[in-house]
Amino acid sequence: MSEKTLLLTGASRGIGHATVKHFHAAGWRIFTASRQDWAAECPWAEGLLNHFHLDLEDIDSVNDSLAVIKAKLGGRLDALVNNAGISPKGPEGARLGVLQSDYATWIKVFNVNLFSTALLARGLFEELSAAKGSIINVTSIAGSRVHPFAGVAYSTSKAALCALTREMAFDFGRQGIRVNAIAPGEIETSILSEGTADIVERLVPMSRLGKPEEVASLVYFLCTSGASYVNGAEIHVNGGQHV
Ligand SMILES: NC(=O)c1ccc[n+]([C@@H]2O[C@H](COP(=O)([O-])OP(=O)(O)OC[C@H]3O[C@@H](n4cnc5c(N)ncnc54)[C@H](OP(=O)(O)O)[C@@H]3O)[C@@H](O)[C@H]2O)c1
């Protein structure tokens, strides 16, 4: 099998959906995982067969599904993109600070945004190793500064995901697996809050939202030979919002 293989979580919309379309256009074989069913408008015929119905909040089901995923992958995986993420909000989209965040919120966010990514990487280590593959973790600008709409559980999970990227880059580098993160700013998807237009106006030098395709092309580049010495990096894709 000469076709390269991608497994991406959270492919059903937003950045994930744009990313699987980008990889498919480049000739990769696509495996997807999310809670929703595979979207019929996806332009690849094998999509339904290669979609895993997976709730990353339920860590037992992540562990249980590894055998099925491994069987489908058939021994090698060129790219694992940990893209799925949740950012719970309070009433009317309010930021959930420490005082507004209960234990259930912390656990839910960390299961989806952090713990499941480490367990998938551990579970698929053999396949990634066989392909000398890449892992891309989708972090956030909120992982390195306070964001007006991102809650504390979300922001700290993304900061931890950046640290996990560094740790895995160290642990997996000798096996030829590169591990990097991309940190989006304000990208036009359903995760955005009302009021984002104000942030864009005040804080983004390019004065516009990013498009999911502009993130997808960076994820793709990091999984190609053009990025063969990039390991343990977190790359910002935010129109200069971090400057
Ligand atoms: N858009 C932005 O401006 C922005 C900025 C910074 C970082 N990010 C990060 O970029 C990533 C993608 O965000 P997006 O904007 O594309 O978000 P989105 O449009 O809300 O899509 C999120 C994806 O994650 C999946 N997902 C959510 N909960 C899940 C669960 N429990 N189990 C499995 N899949 C789950 C969803 O699929 P199902 O609903 O089908 O499960 C969906 O496909 C996230 O990690 C997010 O934190 C986005």
Side-chain angles (χ1 to χ4, degrees):
M1 193 171 63
S2 60
E3 228 178 4
K4 291 199 165 188
T5 52
L6 163 74
L7 171 62
L8 181 143
T9 63
S12 57
R13 55 178 187 272
I15 291 169
H17 195 66
T19 304
V20 290
K21 285 206 290 197
H22 194 103
F23 276 74
H24 178 260
W28 286 51
R29 189 158 171 242
I30 311 294
F31 293 87
T32 55
S34 55
R35 289 167 306 178
Q36 292 180 56
D37 292 335
W38 178 72
E41 67 267 20
C42 286
W44 48 95
E46 73 281 16
L48 192 55
L49 294 175
N50 294 350
H51 181 70
F52 306 106
H53 210 265
L54 193 56
D55 183 352
L56 299 170
E57 190 186 327
D58 179 355
I59 291 298
D60 288 339
S61 81
V62 174
N63 284 327
D64 292 348
S65 65
L66 277 168
V68 178
I69 296 175
K70 287 165 87 70
K72 281 262 178 155
L73 291 177
R76 58 176 288 141
L77 178 61
D78 294 277
L80 168 64
V81 179
N82 291 308
N83 162 76
I86 52 169
S87 180
K89 305 280 191 299
E92 293 169 31
R95 173 176 177 276
L96 294 178
V98 173
L99 299 180
Q100 294 81 32
S101 301
D102 58 12
Y103 182 60
T105 303
W106 280 99
I107 287 296
K108 179 179 167 140
V109 172
F110 269 71
N111 279 349
V112 177
N113 293 6
L114 181 72
F115 302 148
S116 62
T117 67
L119 294 172
L120 283 176
R122 182 176 74 152
L124 300 174
F125 177 76
E126 274 172 24
E127 287 77 6
L128 286 159
S129 198
K132 299 209 178 307
S134 275
I135 299 175
I136 307 295
N137 294 324
V138 180
T139 58
S140 169
I141 192 168
S144 53
R145 68 208 55 223
V146 175
H147 186 282
F149 304 124
V152 289
Y154 178 80
S155 298
T156 55
S157 74
K158 294 298 188 178
L161 185 57
C162 180
L164 177 65
T165 302
R166 190 171 67 228
E167 298 291 330
M168 290 201 295
F170 177 82
D171 283 355
F172 295 177
R174 278 185 186 78
Q175 277 72 37
I177 302 169
R178 294 181 298 107
V179 187
N180 292 293
I182 59 118
E186 314 299 328
I187 312 297
E188 205 168 351
T189 71
S190 60
I191 215 171
L192 291 183
S193 304
E194 272 183 42
T196 301
D198 177 53
I199 297 183
V200 170
E201 180 65 28
R202 288 188 298 111
L203 300 176
V204 180
M206 289 180 74
S207 297
R208 66 169 176 86
L209 291 171
K211 298 183 178 69
E213 294 73 23
E214 292 176 302
V215 181
S217 56
L218 174 61
V219 174
Y220 178 73
F221 170 71
L222 287 171
C223 296
T224 63
S225 58
S228 54
Y229 202 51
V230 183
N231 188 31
E234 183 184 48
I235 300 184
H236 298 279
V237 48
N238 60 26
Q241 189 176 350
H242 67 298
V243 297

